[in-house]
Amino acid sequence: MYQISRPGMIMSLVSYELKKQKLDGARDLALWKVRGGVAAVVLALFIVMRKDFGDFSFVFLLVLLALAYPAYKYLAVRISRKFETLSEEAFKNEFLLWIAKELRLTFQPFGAFLLDEIYKNPLRKEANLCTCKHAIVGKTPEFSIKIGDICLSRDFDKNREDRVFELDKILHLKKKDDTAIFDGLFAKFDFSETFDSQILVVPRGEFIFGASNLKLLKDSPHLSASFDVYLNNLAAAAFLQNKKILENMQTITVNLFGKTELYLGENSLVIGVENSEIFKSAPSSQSAKLLESLNKMIEIAKIFAYLKKLGQVE
């Protein structure tokens, strides 16, 4: 398992938090300026023109206020979005870049996941549109690693799967009839060897798609109260003897405030956490938990590689 450098983490979090505080202060100042500007315009118009309205000057003031409110809301939304983007960039450049370095991986600001890579994966949940904006990638002796934000959605245009060029994927556009199915983080580990076993772990009672060949494991002393386990053969249940896998999944669920799922099949392991805010700006306490959770995911992959080597998981 990768080790976390505590002093480096503290310095990175402090740097990010300082930038975020400056951005939050600049945003609040900009909003106050907009409020003051709009109020000044309303007051000036009222003073200049109220005589023209005589007894109806109060009505005129109400009309000015009614017009000023949507103008202020429009400007406030634009300002908030601008500083939200800047805050996300600071989080990405200060913290995510450091996480990649700490894990001896590489940060990719342009994403890494394509739908074709997870097309046969039950975690795809019948989605036919995939968006990934940035990722962390690299290799270990046992497997390659790809971790990134991912949004899976369902486009009801039946001809989409036959298209060669899909500009909405490239430009991150989303049609109004697209239905978001999953929005969060995917961690994908590709092994050099192929697994005959198929293992799906989902939150207890979760409905699954595209896994009709997998059967729910109902009788095992190692089952968790938090997760259901689906297998293609009972021999694959041997992985449950290593308690760290489900324990790590539980820790990830608590740390990242999102449903955690796992699928092992062919030569890949995919762990998904449904929380759209994971790769965006966050308080330092949550950022530390993100780093811990990524280490837990890598540890799970290492355990499966070890079990494969021992022959406990085929």
Side-chain angles (χ1 to χ4, degrees):
M1 179 177 164
Y2 293 93
Q3 298 299 315
I4 301 174
S5 171
R6 195 69 188 175
M9 181 179 74
I10 293 173
M11 289 180 65
S12 179
L13 292 177
V14 169
S15 176
Y16 162 65
E17 287 292 336
L18 287 175
K19 284 194 174 182
K20 189 173 186 300
Q21 288 175 12
K22 289 181 180 179
L23 288 171
D24 289 345
R27 179 202 59 203
D28 293 342
L29 179 60
L31 290 174
W32 275 110
K33 286 181 177 180
V34 168
R35 295 187 190 108
V38 172
V41 170
V42 169
L43 182 60
L45 288 174
F46 179 70
I47 292 174
V48 171
M49 302 181 66
R50 64 177 177 174
K51 292 182 179 180
D52 297 335
F53 289 86
D55 295 336
F56 296 96
S57 60
F58 181 70
V59 175
F60 174 57
L61 177 60
L62 293 179
V63 171
L64 286 176
L65 292 173
L67 294 174
Y69 181 74
Y72 163 73
K73 289 296 292 183
Y74 171 76
L75 293 172
V77 168
R78 286 187 61 116
I79 290 171
S80 296
R81 287 178 178 173
K82 173 186 175 182
F83 281 96
E84 181 181 348
T85 300
L86 291 174
S87 182
E88 289 180 15
E89 286 296 315
F91 181 72
K92 179 174 66 177
N93 294 331
E94 292 292 330
F95 187 75
L96 294 183
L97 188 64
W98 177 81
I99 282 181
K101 180 180 178 181
E102 198 65 20
L103 297 179
R104 300 171 191 169
L105 303 176
T106 302
F107 177 65
Q108 284 189 182
F110 48 83
F113 283 102
L114 297 174
L115 187 64
D116 292 345
E117 295 182 79
I118 56 172
Y119 202 79
K120 297 180 180 179
N121 195 309
L123 301 189
R124 183 174 68 91
K125 304 178 187 296
E126 301 300 315
N128 61 0
L129 183 60
C130 171
T131 301
C132 178
K133 294 183 179 179
H134 32 66
I136 296 172
V137 301
K139 290 184 178 181
T140 74
E142 300 95 340
F143 43 73
S144 62
I145 304 173
K146 188 181 294 185
I147 304 170
D149 67 320
I150 189 169
C151 181
L152 299 174
S153 56
R154 181 71 181 173
D155 184 347
F156 293 100
D157 183 346
K158 296 181 180 179
N159 297 321
R160 170 175 297 280
E161 294 178 3
D162 298 326
R163 295 178 187 169
V164 177
F165 300 105
E166 299 188 20
L167 293 179
D168 50 353
K169 282 186 181 181
I170 300 171
L171 301 176
H172 306 304
L173 299 178
K174 189 174 181 181
K175 295 171 61 178
K176 290 183 179 180
D177 59 346
D178 286 350
T179 301
I181 296 173
F182 180 94
D183 196 356
L185 177 147
F186 259 25
K188 186 171 184 281
F189 306 89
D190 291 328
F191 302 91
S192 57
E193 296 185 81
T194 300
F195 289 82
D196 295 326
S197 299
Q198 289 180 275
I199 299 170
L200 177 65
V201 182
V202 297
R204 179 61 63 91
E206 182 83 359
F207 185 74
I208 63 172
F209 297 84
S212 57
N213 62 318
L214 304 183
K215 303 300 180 183
L216 176 65
L217 180 64
K218 298 180 179 180
D219 185 19
S220 171
H222 305 294
L223 284 173
S224 164
S226 302
F227 298 100
D228 284 333
V229 177
Y230 293 81
L231 309 166
N232 66 334
N233 62 73
L234 287 177
F239 88 94
L240 288 170
Q241 295 178 24
N242 191 308
K243 297 181 180 179
K244 288 294 293 182
I245 293 176
L246 294 186
E247 287 177 359
N248 282 4
M249 289 188 65
Q250 182 64 37
T251 300
I252 293 167
T253 300
V254 173
N255 280 355
L256 302 183
F257 305 101
K259 293 189 299 183
T260 303
E261 303 170 320
L262 175 153
Y263 176 72
L264 176 75
E266 297 184 349
N267 71 322
S268 296
L269 167 70
V270 176
I271 300 173
V273 184
E274 193 164 5
N275 180 345
S276 62
E277 300 299 314
I278 291 176
F279 263 25
K280 295 183 180 179
S281 57
S284 57
S285 59
Q286 294 183 25
S287 302
K289 290 180 179 179
L290 169 60
L291 184 56
E292 179 190 11
S293 298
L294 296 182
N295 274 281
K296 295 290 185 183
M297 294 177 189
I298 294 173
E299 184 180 16
I300 290 173
K302 283 182 171 289
I303 291 171
F304 274 115
Y306 181 69
L307 293 177
K308 175 68 174 176
K309 184 177 181 180
L310 293 180
Q312 293 182 12
V313 176
E314 296 295 333

